Amino acid sequence: MAEVIVIGAGPAGASAALFLAKAGKETLVLDSNTSMTKRAWIDNHYGVNGISGPDLLEVGREQAEKFGAKFITEKVTDIDTNGGSKVTVKTDSGRSFEASHIILATGALTELANSIGLELREGTEPRIKTVIKTDGAGRTSNARIWAAGTVAGVSVHTIITAGDGAKVAIELLSELNGERYVDHDILK
C-alpha cells in the first residue's frame, strides 16, 4: 500500500510526486497519458529556455522517480474511501491500488471527481468549465482526497500548476508529519 497515490502525471502531479517521494513517502502515480501538456511548447517556464511539453513531462517524471516515486500508466475509473483509514483506487484494467491519501491532478478533467461525489465549482480559466472545490491547502470535500493544479482551479500555465502540485504536497506532508514540512537543499 502506498502512502499517497497521485492521479495524473502532468506538471501538478509530477511536482507533487517529487516532493512526496523526496520526503520519504511511498508515492504511486497513476496516469492515463492524456495530459494537455503533451501538446504544448513552453517558453514561459522560469529557469528553462523553452521546452516541449513531452520533454517537460519526462523531466518531471525522472525527477520524481529519482526519489522513489513509481509511475504506472493506467486510467483511474473509481475511488472508494471505504469510510476508513485507506482509499482504494480502481483502474480500467481491473487493477486496484490502496493508499492513505489521494491527490487528484487530472488537469481539465473533473469526471472522476464528480463520479465520486466531490464538491465542484465553476472554473475561471477559459475553456475550464468546472473544477474541484478545495480549501487553500488543496483539501477537497473528502478528508482523504486532495486536488492540485488546473483541476483545483489554478491557471493552466505549467509553472503555476507545478507550483500548486508542490504546495499541495507540502500541505499534505505537513498534515501527515504533524508539523510544518520544509524542503530546502543547500549547496555542498
Side-chain angles (χ1 to χ4, degrees), residues 53-66:
D55 287 343
L56 181 69
L57 294 173
E58 183 59 31
V59 168
R61 179 180 177 143
E62 288 172 0
Q63 286 179 299
E65 286 177 330
K66 171 183 165 185

Side-chain angles (χ1 to χ4, degrees), residues 61-75:
R61 179 180 177 143
E62 288 172 0
Q63 286 179 299
E65 286 177 330
K66 171 183 165 185
F67 294 106
K70 293 182 175 83
F71 285 69
I72 298 175
T73 302
E74 290 270 3
K75 181 179 180 180

Side-chain angles (χ1 to χ4, degrees), residues 142-172:
N142 184 303
R144 299 221 168 264
I145 303 175
W146 301 63
T150 302
V151 78
V154 302
S155 172
V156 298
H157 296 91
T158 60
I159 194 133
I160 296 171
T161 60
D164 194 58
K167 176 198 80 172
V168 171
I170 294 293
E171 296 295 343
L172 177 53

Side-chain angles (χ1 to χ4, degrees), residues 1-9 13-14 16-22 24-31 61 64-65 67-74 76 87-91 95-105 172:
M1 180 170 106
E3 289 179 78
V4 182
I5 294 174
V6 179
I7 301 173
L18 170 60
F19 273 82
L20 291 162
K22 189 168 184 269
K25 302 302 180 189
E26 187 176 337
T27 306
L28 174 63
V29 182
L30 299 173
D31 184 58
R61 179 180 177 143
E65 286 177 330
F67 294 106
K70 293 182 175 83
F71 285 69
I72 298 175
T73 302
E74 290 270 3
V76 174
V87 182
T88 303
V89 174
K90 298 176 182 170
T91 68
R95 294 173 74 183
S96 292
F97 303 91
E98 290 183 342
S100 296
H101 293 273
I102 302 292
I103 296 178
L104 290 173
L172 177 53

Side-chain angles (χ1 to χ4, degrees), residues 99-141:
S100 296
H101 293 273
I102 302 292
I103 296 178
L104 290 173
T106 54
L109 306 176
T110 58
E111 294 83 7
L112 178 62
N114 187 49
S115 74
I116 62 170
L118 292 182
E119 192 174 342
L120 304 176
R121 66 175 177 83
E122 187 175 326
T124 58
E125 286 288 296
R127 297 179 302 280
I128 307 295
K129 304 281 186 232
T130 308
V131 297
I132 300 169
K133 183 177 180 184
T134 65
D135 67 4
R139 291 177 193 88
T140 71
S141 55

